[in-house]
Amino acid sequence: MISAAVEPHVESFKPDNREPLPASLAPAVKAPGAQRQQNPNKRKVLFVTSEIADLVKTGGLGDVSAALPRALAHLHDVRVLIPGYPQVMDSDNPIHIVGELGGHAALPPCKIGRMDLPDGLVIYVLVCPELYQREGTPYGANNGRDWPDNHIRFARLGLAAAEMAAGEGMAHWRPELVHAHDWPAGLAPAYMHWRGLSTPTLFTIHNLAYQGVYARGCSPELAIPEHAMQQEGMEFYGKLSFLKAGLAYSSHITTVSATYAREITTPEFGCGLDGFLASKAQQGLLGGIPNGIDESWDAATDQHLHHNFSINDWEGKARNATQVRELFGLEPSEGPLFAVVSRLVYQKGLDLTLGVADYIVEKGGQIAIIGRGEPEEEQAMRELALRHPGRIGVRIGFNETDARRMFAGSDFLLMPSRYEPCGLSQMYAQRFGSLPVARNTGGLADTIENGVTGFLFNDSTLQSYREALSRAFNVFDNKDLLNAMRCLSMTQPFNWCQAVEPYARLYEDLVKQSQLAHY
Ligand code: ADP
Ligand code: GLC
């Protein structure tokens, strides 16, 4: 697609015929989309992530990595760095090799490929088949087990970001700021710090519970200096924590909602890092910037839906409900349809939904569940459906089309999360007129107005959950109220505009601060 426009110095990636790199890769690559970078005020930002929804995603991080760089494109030159998993290497977008990085300790050498997505988003792909060319998710095999060498795989990602920031291996585009996401990218700020780079770094926590913790003995393999093993460094109860490395060595930290930013400074939500985070917050180095949702979430135009609808026309919504019932083998019904669209993991409180399922069915409701995750949770969901044939249906797995149809066809979304850094599903559901019944925590608390655009409950208890459900059933019986709430939820201003300005300002401030500090 883009081959003709790329300079001769740039080597095309051919999976079965990897040629040695040309001796010099230095000349500037003037690629498609180059015009986007001509504004001299645009900062060059490297967005380091382990998922991007265009190519591979296991949850909301993938959605954010796809949406945020694009939303920022008019203000900054944001490019993404991601490992070359099969889903990336085998996508329809050609990859051109633009750089080469040497090995370091146990981290193997790799190449940097460049992929230009049709809309101009530039993705740098870390090409290292021995680490990334494996069938499975970004983190493990299809049986759910993590790859045993994840510390090497993601240290390689962090080191590559640091090397790019140092202008190594790929001189033609050198980031002025590195924005690293979650533990897989946590070592990027750390390697940059240990190398004495002045390039500022921003670390965003999407989920504090996943920390990338490894034995201290891994340090030499990862070229982690001895002095990093201290409380102010990446030491975590005698082990190495990639997440803590991101927190300790970045110039600034954000997380994805204001409430979660406060919660993680408390023992209940801090996952052992609350004291550390509280001290960062006191120094003004921790903030919350809420995620948005992209423009494709429009019930009137979404191509995934068989029946489009809007706040002036509910008929399409009813037809979508019929379609979801058919998809999940549910009986025709006039009662409310509840949806679960979720990773099936402890965080999401599915055991609570198991506990209220009988109540929902007794009150005339039905539940459609889609997701995958922990094998025990998957099994519990299958058993639940077997207990309530025609009333509860489960599909283990995930696909975007079914998820969108469920948001469009359901009356309510169940999201009893134990914690929720931001949560996107409740925003998607609201945009499609499905009112969330959710726990009053994190981003759920910030994006759902209790009794107006959904139903919040405070405690992770069946009683608290049931009370919110009972309010949902009452509203369902009052169609005027139901439709009024749907209208309000569908018109909530969830979009990336609200996040773009704070991120853009933060990027600018961090770059300026680091320039001042080095005069
Ligand atoms: P989280 O990132 O914690 O899973 P979010 O609500 O932020 O929660 O984002 C969920 C996103 O992931 C949505 O786009 C949703 O449709 C999608 N999703 C939900 N379950 C799965 C799954 N099992 N596999 C892949 N994506 C999923
Ligand atoms: C994580 C969180 C989720 C958040 C997403 C994107 O997966 O669990 O709450 O919305 O990241 O930031």
Side-chain angles (χ1 to χ4, degrees):
M1 195 188 317
I2 59 162
S3 317
V6 177
E7 282 77 354
H9 299 287
V10 179
E11 179 201 351
S12 285
F13 179 81
K14 306 181 197 84
D16 300 315
N17 179 20
R18 272 165 242 173
E19 289 167 14
L21 275 178
S24 162
L25 291 162
V29 175
K30 192 165 139 263
Q35 259 176 333
R36 291 170 11 127
Q37 299 132 37
Q38 277 170 6
N39 175 353
N41 299 322
K42 283 188 173 186
R43 298 296 182 184
K44 297 192 192 83
V45 177
L46 186 65
F47 195 98
V48 190
T49 182
S50 53
E51 308 185 11
I52 182 165
D54 303 66
L55 304 167
V56 55
K57 94 164 183 184
T58 68
L61 172 62
D63 292 358
V64 173
S65 303
L68 184 55
R70 289 177 160 110
L72 284 160
H74 63 293
L75 296 171
H76 293 296
D77 175 14
V78 185
R79 303 184 181 191
V80 175
L81 175 67
I82 189 166
Y85 318 113
Q87 299 92 325
V88 176
M89 303 308 294
D90 303 341
S91 85
D92 291 339
N93 309 288
I95 296 174
H96 304 283
I97 298 299
V98 293
E100 184 179 25
L101 300 169
H104 202 61
L107 309 182
C110 54
K111 295 179 184 179
I112 303 171
R114 172 177 169 144
M115 178 191 282
D116 287 72
L117 294 187
D119 66 354
L121 180 67
V122 176
I123 301 199
Y124 290 115
V125 178
L126 199 55
V127 181
C128 187
E130 66 181 280
L131 296 185
Y132 307 124
Q133 193 69 33
R134 305 174 189 178
E135 290 308 319
T137 74
Y139 315 107
N142 285 324
N143 63 11
R145 284 223 186 97
D146 282 356
W147 300 116
D149 57 348
N150 271 350
H151 56 305
I152 307 273
R153 297 173 75 239
F154 293 113
R156 184 60 267 187
L157 176 68
L159 183 62
E163 289 169 323
M164 287 172 77
E168 288 168 26
M170 194 193 80
H172 56 269
W173 189 88
R174 188 171 169 182
E176 296 167 86
L177 182 141
V178 170
H179 187 175
H181 297 264
D182 267 356
W183 79 264
L187 281 186
Y191 285 125
M192 289 169 69
H193 177 84
W194 297 327
R195 290 176 163 224
L197 295 184
S198 60
T199 316
T201 48
L202 175 62
F203 184 71
T204 295
I205 305 166
H206 295 264
N207 197 328
L208 193 65
Y210 298 86
Q211 301 194 351
V213 174
Y214 298 98
R216 181 182 185 150
C218 297
S219 294
E221 288 176 282
L222 308 181
I224 291 173
E226 192 53 36
H227 60 77
M229 276 305 283
Q230 49 154 323
Q231 226 184 339
E232 292 310 306
M234 65 181 291
E235 187 266 345
F236 186 66
Y237 294 102
K239 295 188 169 179
L240 303 170
S241 162
F242 278 38
L243 185 114
K244 189 159 175 239
L247 302 177
Y249 296 110
S250 55
S251 321
H252 195 88
I253 303 162
T254 57
T255 186
V256 285
S257 69
T259 296
Y260 192 61
R262 281 192 301 278
E263 287 174 340
I264 55 179
T265 62
T266 67
E268 187 186 351
F269 294 94
C271 302
L273 288 164
D274 37 288
F276 192 81
L277 286 164
S279 124
K280 292 284 180 188
Q282 272 155 17
Q283 297 167 59
L285 297 177
L286 167 64
I289 303 179
N291 292 328
I293 64 176
D294 68 44
E295 285 158 10
S296 70
W297 291 92
D298 181 349
T301 56
D302 191 330
Q303 301 286 313
H304 296 86
L305 307 185
H306 277 144
H307 310 287
N308 291 111
F309 62 99
S310 71
I311 53 172
N312 301 314
D313 161 26
W314 296 119
E315 192 154 324
K317 182 144 181 85
R319 291 211 196 112
N320 284 309
T322 304
Q323 197 192 21
V324 172
R325 286 193 167 93
E326 285 166 7
L327 189 65
F328 284 81
L330 302 178
E331 298 159 354
S333 165
E334 296 292 311
L337 179 57
F338 293 81
V340 174
V341 180
S342 180
R343 289 184 295 119
L344 304 180
V345 295
Y346 175 79
Q347 169 192 352
K348 302 293 178 181
L350 295 149
D351 50 321
L352 293 171
T353 294
L354 285 177
V356 297
D358 288 355
Y359 172 79
I360 290 176
V361 170
E362 276 159 25
K363 297 258 302 175
Q366 292 172 308
I367 313 178
I369 303 167
I370 188 171
R372 66 173 169 234
E374 304 289 343
E376 312 77 56
E377 304 248 7
E378 292 182 355
Q379 188 52 27
M381 292 297 144
R382 285 194 197 94
E383 286 167 12
L384 178 68
L386 286 175
R387 281 212 309 278
H388 295 283
R391 307 302 299 175
I392 299 183
V394 173
R395 289 167 76 94
I396 301 299
F398 184 81
N399 78 69
E400 189 70 26
T401 301
D402 286 349
R404 286 183 181 243
R405 290 179 179 166
M406 289 173 72
F407 293 129
S410 58
D411 300 296
F412 302 103
L413 177 80
L414 298 176
M415 215 162 159
S417 307
R418 291 206 155 70
Y419 67 92
E420 196 60 75
C422 178
L424 299 170
S425 296
Q426 83 281 6
M427 291 195 260
Y428 297 150
Q430 287 179 68
R431 185 56 61 80
F432 279 8
S434 177
L435 305 175
V437 181
R439 173 121 192 277
N440 190 9
T441 186
L444 298 172
D446 295 355
T447 56
I448 299 168
E449 208 177 329
N450 192 18
V452 178
T453 61
F455 306 89
L456 291 171
F457 59 97
N458 286 336
D459 304 322
S460 278
T461 61
L462 297 182
Q463 192 189 357
S464 192
Y465 194 1
R466 254 191 238 113
E467 179 276 325
L469 285 166
S470 128
R471 289 189 283 130
F473 273 103
N474 289 342
V475 166
F476 186 79
D477 289 339
N478 178 342
K479 290 292 177 280
D480 287 344
L481 183 54
L482 178 67
N483 286 340
M485 287 183 73
R486 281 178 177 166
C487 283
L488 285 168
S489 71
M490 287 176 76
T491 50
Q492 288 301 296
F494 301 132
N495 52 51
W496 280 101
C497 299
Q498 63 193 348
V500 160
E501 207 210 316
Y503 275 118
R505 208 175 334 112
L506 192 52
Y507 287 173
E508 193 56 40
D509 288 351
L510 292 172
V511 172
K512 286 208 176 113
Q513 274 165 28
S514 92
Q515 285 170 343
L516 282 175
H518 290 88
Y519 270 130

